[in-house]
Amino acid sequence: MCSSDLTSSGPTDIRAVVRGTGSTNLSHTSHNTSLINAAYLDYRMTDLGVSTRVGRQSAINGGLLGLFDGLSLSYTPRPGLTYDLMGGVPTSPILGAPQERLLAGKIEVDPLWEHVSGDVYLIDQTTQGIPNRRALGVETRFADERGSLYSLVDYDVLFGALNALTLQATYQGGAQTSLTLLVDARKAPTLEMINALISHGETSLRALLQLPMTMAQIKADALASSAEARQAMFSVSRSLDDHWQLSGDLRYSQVGALPAVGNFAAQPATGAQYGLTLQATGSHLYSQRDVNSLNLSLLKAPGFRGTDRKSTRLNSSHEWISRMPSSA
């Protein structure tokens, strides 16, 4: 991973940012991979509340707007209220289509109420002038000294379907007890008309229209190519004393079935998959820098049950691991 960030201060603030990842595979039959996550120039006029960003960037403050090459404009007329406008070309390492365009707008309010902030965004994507994704999203955030709560709802107007629903919460209780909750349901992949290209082996929606296919058929195939993915997690951790901490988490995940579409055969649902992990962590038991961890994991999925017991002892220069998997 590489990163560069050059700044200047004053009434104006200029930053040049480059971030990316790369990997080298020593096997001559494999390919090396790299990805530029950010390569942009950020110019801010702090006294006017105006910011401009040009280059490869992720959408301001998240949502499901994704990574794109283009321009972002941000205006803060008063503290707590910001207007964002973004436009450019979406970038996707998985699937691309010719002449893609993205236009998005966002209104952020912080605070909306005491300890509460949020934003609303609109996004419109096209490819070759054909609507590809059109969605409305709402994010809300709550934070105080005891915990935090984050929610996201993304509704696709083009498909008339819910694209993503996420809820994350944390709570800090007494006696150094921490609770974490995650509930997530979404389409996988994200709803887009170009998802129909995956199962038909074409490179553009115009090519699908020449098969011939109607826009209604393309939309139906794109919708059929996105599965319903659900996951949930609940975690608890508690400090017993100055040396020991106990934690555990329960996880659930499931991906729904996909019908036969285009060149792809029907795919069955994965079924519910459950995982339970218990962990005991001890530190400074026999030296100033030792960390000891005992783990027990139980896994259950259709056609599979398993256990994983692992003990780890770390100090300044040595690591010892014993792993004994078994399944029934």
Side-chain angles (χ1 to χ4, degrees), residues 24-293:
T24 300
N25 196 315
L26 300 181
S27 173
H28 67 278
T29 60
S30 301
H31 299 283
N32 300 328
T33 60
S34 63
L35 176 65
I36 299 297
N37 299 307
Y40 61 83
L41 182 67
D42 192 354
Y43 178 75
R44 302 183 181 184
M45 293 179 283
T46 55
D47 53 343
L48 298 178
V50 176
S51 175
T52 303
R53 183 178 295 179
V54 181
R56 172 158 294 189
Q57 56 193 289
S58 57
I60 298 174
N61 286 345
L64 293 183
L65 304 182
L67 190 70
F68 67 97
D69 297 328
L71 173 69
S72 293
L73 298 174
S74 179
Y75 175 54
T76 304
R78 61 176 177 82
L81 177 63
T82 302
Y83 300 99
D84 301 314
L85 183 64
M86 294 158 273
V89 179
T91 62
S92 172
I94 300 176
L95 180 67
Q99 300 176 30
E100 285 194 85
R101 298 292 184 267
L102 174 149
L103 181 63
K106 176 181 283 191
I107 301 176
E108 306 172 63
V109 182
D110 184 10
L112 187 59
W113 296 292
E114 186 179 8
H115 304 301
V116 179
S117 62
D119 59 71
V120 177
Y121 65 83
L122 292 169
I123 180 171
D124 184 78
Q125 289 180 218
T126 62
T127 173
Q128 298 177 303
I130 301 173
N132 179 41
R133 167 163 151 77
R134 188 170 294 153
L136 168 66
V138 178
E139 292 180 288
T140 55
R141 292 171 287 271
F142 170 86
D144 65 7
E145 64 278 2
R146 299 300 297 271
S148 64
L149 179 68
Y150 169 80
S151 69
L152 165 68
V153 178
D154 186 283
Y155 180 81
D156 196 290
V157 179
L158 189 61
F159 287 89
L162 190 64
N163 196 37
L165 176 63
T166 297
L167 177 66
Q168 301 178 53
T170 61
Y171 176 75
Q172 299 293 330
Q176 299 186 30
T177 300
S178 176
L179 307 178
T180 304
L181 173 69
L182 167 66
V183 178
D184 184 272
R186 65 182 59 226
K187 292 288 188 178
T190 300
L191 287 173
E192 294 181 289
M193 292 286 282
I194 61 174
N195 289 345
L197 302 178
I198 302 174
S199 56
H200 287 279
E202 297 290 347
T203 58
S204 72
L205 297 183
R206 294 290 182 189
L208 290 181
L209 291 172
Q210 294 174 2
L211 285 181
M213 290 180 65
T214 65
M215 288 302 300
Q217 290 174 320
I218 294 175
K219 182 184 293 186
D221 285 359
L223 183 61
S225 299
S226 289
E228 297 279 355
R230 297 183 177 88
Q231 62 174 325
M233 185 272 290
F234 179 69
S235 175
V236 181
S237 66
R238 182 183 178 89
S239 179
L240 300 181
D241 52 33
D242 293 338
H243 299 284
W244 284 99
Q245 176 177 297
L246 292 180
S247 63
D249 63 74
L250 177 64
R251 298 175 184 268
Y252 157 84
S253 65
Q254 180 171 329
V255 179
L258 287 174
V261 55
N263 302 323
F264 288 177
Q267 298 293 321
T270 61
Q273 304 176 54
Y274 299 94
L276 174 63
T277 300
L278 303 175
Q279 178 175 287
T281 303
S283 59
H284 311 303
L285 300 180
Y286 47 84
S287 70
Q288 291 298 317
R289 290 180 289 182
D290 68 274
V291 178
N292 304 266
S293 178

